[in-house]
Amino acid sequence: EPELIKRLIKRAEIEKRADDTEKVIKNRLEVYNKETVPVLKYYKKSAKIIIVNGIGEIEKINKEIISSLNQN
């Protein structure tokens, strides 16, 4: 989460987004962990989801996504 917070704060600075404060970002992450993570766990158990690490270069991430989709 620290990497995500850092990226979102930087995006807020670049895009002049006053609504993306560290407090707001942390709240969004809290809601995500409370409401979205259980859904992800459900689909992971049923093998209907592919998890891809989204940190890195876009081309590398894209190749990983395509490779994962081709395997399923």
Side-chain angles (χ1 to χ4, degrees):
E1 288 185 7
E3 176 70 21
L4 182 58
I5 292 169
K6 186 173 101 176
R7 285 181 176 206
L8 290 173
I9 289 172
K10 183 155 181 86
R11 182 187 76 177
E13 292 170 2
I14 292 169
E15 296 179 5
K16 309 289 188 239
R17 293 181 58 133
D19 60 328
D20 270 352
T21 64
E22 187 169 349
K23 182 179 178 182
V24 170
I25 291 167
K26 286 182 177 182
N27 183 61
R28 270 193 251 141
L29 288 172
E30 187 177 316
V31 171
Y32 172 84
N33 286 322
K34 181 180 174 188
E35 297 180 11
T36 304
V37 169
V39 176
L40 291 173
K41 287 180 180 179
Y42 169 82
Y43 282 108
K44 191 172 184 180
K45 282 182 184 177
S46 64
K48 294 183 179 182
I49 192 167
I50 298 169
I51 305 295
V52 177
N53 183 348
I55 296 177
E57 294 182 26
I58 293 173
E59 281 190 34
K60 187 175 179 181
I61 297 166
N62 188 47
K63 286 179 183 178
E64 184 178 345
I65 292 169
I66 292 169
S67 175
S68 294
L69 289 172
N70 287 334
Q71 292 175 10
N72 292 307

